[in-house]
Amino acid sequence: MSDSPAPLLRAEGLVRAYHGESGPAYAVRGVDLCVRQGEFVAITGPSGAGKSTLLHLLGGLQKPDSGSVWLDGTCTDSWREARWAMERRKRIGIVFQFFNLVSGLSVADNVELPALLAGAPVKQARAERERLLSELGIVGKEHSMPGELSGGEQQRVALARALVNRPPLLLADEPAGSLDGKGTREVMRLLSRLHRRGQTIVLVTHDARLASSGDRVISFFDGRIADDVALDTPTPPRSGTSGVLKLEN
Ligand code: ADP
Ligand code: MG
């Protein structure tokens, strides 16, 4: 046995089909994947390749037909929905394309909710919310409703909500997919910054340019990993923007 710690996330032999009238359609056809602590893995591929299904399997939002997922060395095969929900609260932050904020709750309440659900004292939830919102650049909007914010701002709130319980793993499914160029740059810049501070991230995107902000890029086609490439660690940016963000201008 090696001394290295178990990977934060491991999948083996993942298969998942959807069942329609014309029989099963395989969205994920046998995926092995290992994500180590601190990695920023981008999974990219065309629409319909099975990226969202794969991410849902990794976060327990869907169950595989076969294969297994290990979190931090623990096999999740026997986990039921309640266990997954609890583990997601603690260990896995998830950000989706369309934010999924609760429209009837203020920005502050949206961010604090997962902390309160996880049993954090009110004071601590508030302090963590304040820290995250100011870090993500949402200041003075605590009492706004999500619908009053721009798309980029809403996605930053969704990111704060995903991070409020300090999950070791962040899963993001097309987090910039519904944003304009400016919103996309904001979100990608934040992901890169989180990664530089040690956050483990699995990002799914159909946009190969956005994928290049990861330090490892997996090409996903037709339910399978076609390629898995470690990118050179980029030289730290001098101007405060990273290479991929410049492409957007
Ligand atoms: P991606 O995120 O790469 O666009 P998806 O995982 O959403 O890919 O979809 C992969 C395949 O599975 C597609 O062919 C899609 O039509 C199909 N699919 C996805 N979700 C469902 C569903 N709920 N029911 C039936 N087919 C689905
Ligand atoms: Mg998708």
Side-chain angles (χ1 to χ4, degrees):
M1 290 288 286
S2 84
D3 297 324
S4 58
L8 199 52
L9 178 66
R10 183 159 79 88
E12 235 176 68
L14 286 184
V15 172
R16 169 70 199 223
Y18 294 104
H19 297 274
E21 280 170 11
S22 50
Y26 283 86
V28 171
R29 301 168 180 260
V31 168
D32 301 330
L33 178 66
C34 202
V35 178
R36 303 210 162 266
Q37 162 106 40
E39 275 192 304
F40 183 173
V41 180
I43 300 176
T44 188
S47 177
K51 305 179 300 296
S52 292
T53 304
L54 174 60
L55 202 78
H56 288 186
L57 297 175
L58 298 177
L61 297 167
Q62 287 176 248
K63 283 254 177 203
D65 297 328
S66 58
S68 301
V69 173
W70 285 259
L71 276 179
D72 228 352
T74 305
C75 182
T76 66
D77 278 356
S78 64
W79 291 6
R80 293 175 181 278
E81 181 43 39
R83 174 78 188 270
W84 266 112
M86 184 187 79
E87 299 286 347
R88 273 196 300 271
R89 238 173 257 143
K90 287 198 246 164
R91 301 210 235 181
I92 310 175
I94 306 188
V95 189
F96 299 97
Q97 176 170 358
F98 295 108
F99 330 132
N100 292 355
L101 296 170
V102 183
S103 59
L105 290 182
S106 70
V107 163
D109 289 344
N110 262 283
V111 177
E112 287 176 32
L113 186 62
L116 298 172
L117 288 174
V122 173
K123 261 188 168 171
Q124 187 190 319
R126 186 184 309 155
E128 197 67 5
R129 177 261 291 173
E130 285 171 352
R131 180 185 74 80
L132 276 164
L133 287 181
S134 86
E135 190 179 333
L136 299 185
I138 307 275
V139 189
K141 304 233 164 147
E142 295 77 0
H143 303 297
S144 301
M145 302 307 272
E148 297 167 340
L149 305 183
S150 74
E153 288 170 334
Q154 288 186 58
Q155 194 55 298
R156 282 187 276 160
V157 174
L159 206 50
R161 181 185 56 178
L163 295 170
V164 73
N165 291 326
R166 303 191 179 216
L169 178 63
L170 181 68
L171 301 180
D173 189 2
E174 308 275 4
S178 56
L179 302 178
D180 60 12
K182 178 165 176 275
T184 299
R185 284 193 293 277
E186 283 173 11
V187 168
M188 296 312 295
R189 196 178 295 140
L190 285 168
L191 290 180
S192 295
R193 202 165 85 205
L194 289 165
H195 170 237
R196 283 198 295 275
R197 282 210 241 112
Q199 179 72 50
T200 308
I201 301 173
V202 178
L203 164 74
V204 156
T205 173
H206 67 277
D207 187 329
R209 285 182 311 168
L210 298 185
S212 66
S213 53
D215 51 17
R216 180 177 155 203
V217 177
I218 291 176
S219 302
F220 204 62
F221 286 102
D222 202 16
R224 289 194 181 92
I225 292 178
D227 208 4
D228 187 340
V229 178
L231 299 184
D232 291 340
T233 316
T235 352
R238 263 169 282 165
S239 62
T241 53
S242 74
V244 68
L245 299 171
K246 282 185 204 134
L247 290 174
E248 288 278 336
N249 291 324

